[in-house]
Structure formats: structure tokens, C-alpha cells
Amino acid sequence: WLSKDEIALSDDRPTTTLLERYVLAVFYYSTDGPNWSRQDFNFLTALSVCDWNNNIPPERESFLGIYCYETASVRRIGLYDIGLSGRIPWELGLLVDLQGLNFGGNALTGSIPTELGKLTALDFVQFGTNLLTGTIPTEFGQLTLLTTFLMDYNALEGTLPPELTLLRDLTDLSMLNNSLSGSLPSSLGQMTALTLLNLAANSFTGTLPSELGKISTLQTLHFYVNQLSGTIPTQLGQCTDLKGLSVDGNGLTGTLPTELGQLSMLES
């Protein structure tokens, strides 16, 4: 495709233009692009990659495709629920200006490329509801601008990397329904911007860290259906913004802390 692409072959095209078209072509064929359920966003056409979208602003739910905003380089890729299959190519790590990736609701397989940890401008990652395996790359701890990290409904294994707790701007962390195991790091309590923490339906063991009580911004906290033991930390009573708390389906013991009565915002 690239050898016949008019923009790639033009003498005055910048090197970055060629690189982006190459990377996105690799992504298209790596994820079975000819069989995507949607083909109405100009992918692999003679247009600029900034026009490879359905012309719907990315702040609206129905947007699809590649977005550059008012710049000349790729900023966001939104290709959710369109039948992506195959593997996420490591070459995406070459799009150094990327700020958002949304591949949710597809059938992607294989592991998450560690090279994505080089995309230090990323603030949004949504790979939920796929067939991804392997571990969560520790390199994601370098993505210090990340605010949303959603990996629900995959088959990810291994532990929750302590490196993720270095992401102090993260507000939404959800890995519901995977095969994660091991103990929960006490350094979770240092993620003081979190509003959503959902690690339910995994195989975590050990106790609930008392340090969770330091996250005063928490609104949703789900650890149901794991293999946790010990007591419910009294410190959770300090999370006064909590609206949803669920720890059922574990092996918790002891009494119900009276401190939970301080959660005046609690709805469930």
C-alpha cells in the first residue's frame, strides 16, 4: 500500500508523515483491517491521516478514527467496537505524540506491547473487552500524564505492577474480570487522584491495604470476587466521597467497622 501511496511518494512530504502512514498501515493489516465492521472513516486513503475519521468530534461518543486536532501529528486513535482482531503492533510506540488510545469492545489478542510505555504524552488508554493476555507492562509506570487506564474483561495475568502506583494523576483505574493475582501493593494509597478503582473478579490474595484510606477522592471502590482475607480496614471510613463500595465474594473476616458510618455519600 505504501509503495503506491501518493502522499508517501511525494518529494516534499516530511519524514514524520511517512512514518505515521507506515505505522497506521501496519496497524490496519495487523488487526485485520479489511474485515473491520466499519469502513466509513477514510482509513488507508490518499487523504492526510488527520482525515482518517468519520468527521465526528472526538468529544462525542460516536467518533471513530484518527484525530490530530489542530496539529499535524496523530493525537488520538478511537477504534472501538468495530471488529479489530489480531495483535496490537509494537509500532504504535513510534507515534510519540499520541495522547489517547481506545480499542475497547473488539477481539484483540496477544500481549500489550511494552513499547506503548514510551508514549509519555498518553492520558487515556481503553483496551477493555478484548482477548488480551500476558501481563501489564511495568513500562506503563512511565506514563505520568495518564488519567484513565481501563483494561476490563480481558485475560491479563500476573500481579498489579507497583510501577502503576507512580501514576499520581490517574483518576480511573479498572481491571475488572481478568486473571490478575498476588497481593495488592500498599502504594495504592499514594494514588491520591483516583475516583474509580475497580479490581473486582480477579484472583488477588492477601489483605485490603489500609493505605486505601488515604485516597480521599475515591467514589467507587470494587474488590468483589477475589481471594482476599483479613478484615475490612477501618481507614476506609476516611474515604468520605465514596458512593459505591463492594468487597463481597472474598474470605474477609472480623466485624463490620463502625467507621463506615462516616461514609455519608454511600449509595451502595
Side-chain angles (χ1 to χ4, degrees), residues 151-207:
M151 295 285 169
D152 301 335
Y153 294 98
N154 280 286
L156 298 172
E157 301 174 326
T159 61
L160 185 69
E163 289 82 357
L164 283 187
T165 64
L166 299 173
L167 304 179
R168 304 299 161 76
D169 290 335
L170 202 64
T171 59
D172 298 318
L173 174 59
S174 188
M175 299 185 180
L176 167 68
N177 205 342
N178 279 279
S179 299
L180 300 171
S181 59
S183 58
L184 298 168
S186 60
S187 52
L188 278 172
Q190 299 172 19
M191 303 179 75
T192 52
L194 281 178
T195 59
L196 165 67
L197 178 57
N198 188 349
L199 301 177
N202 282 283
S203 298
F204 289 112
T205 55
T207 59

Side-chain angles (χ1 to χ4, degrees), residues 69-220:
Y69 299 116
E70 297 179 358
T71 66
S73 57
V74 176
R75 289 294 195 267
R76 294 193 181 272
I77 301 177
L79 296 170
Y80 51 90
D81 195 23
I82 64 166
L84 304 182
S85 61
R87 293 173 174 265
I88 301 172
W90 69 265
E91 285 88 349
L92 282 181
L94 299 173
L95 301 179
V96 294
D97 293 324
L98 263 181
Q99 296 175 343
L101 284 172
N102 187 348
F103 299 148
N106 287 292
L108 293 168
T109 56
S111 57
I112 301 169
T114 59
E115 287 81 2
L116 298 186
K118 299 176 182 179
L119 300 176
T120 54
L122 275 178
D123 59 27
F124 183 94
V125 175
Q126 152 66 311
F127 293 166
T129 315
N130 277 283
L131 303 169
L132 297 172
T133 56
T135 60
I136 301 165
T138 59
E139 290 81 359
F140 274 48
Q142 303 170 29
L143 306 180
T144 55
L145 298 181
L146 203 61
T147 60
T148 302
F149 190 49
L150 308 176
M151 295 285 169
D152 301 335
Y153 294 98
N154 280 286
L156 298 172
E157 301 174 326
T159 61
L160 185 69
E163 289 82 357
L164 283 187
T165 64
L166 299 173
L167 304 179
R168 304 299 161 76
D169 290 335
L170 202 64
T171 59
D172 298 318
L173 174 59
S174 188
M175 299 185 180
L176 167 68
N177 205 342
N178 279 279
S179 299
L180 300 171
S181 59
S183 58
L184 298 168
S186 60
S187 52
L188 278 172
Q190 299 172 19
M191 303 179 75
T192 52
L194 281 178
T195 59
L196 165 67
L197 178 57
N198 188 349
L199 301 177
N202 282 283
S203 298
F204 289 112
T205 55
T207 59
L208 281 169
S210 60
E211 290 81 2
L212 291 171
K214 298 178 181 178
I215 312 176
S216 60
T217 53
L218 271 177
Q219 298 180 17
T220 303

Side-chain angles (χ1 to χ4, degrees), residues 53-56 58 63-69 73-76:
N53 56 65
N54 60 356
N55 204 31
I56 293 177
F63 80 94
L64 277 174
I66 310 298
Y67 289 84
C68 303
Y69 299 116
S73 57
V74 176
R75 289 294 195 267
R76 294 193 181 272

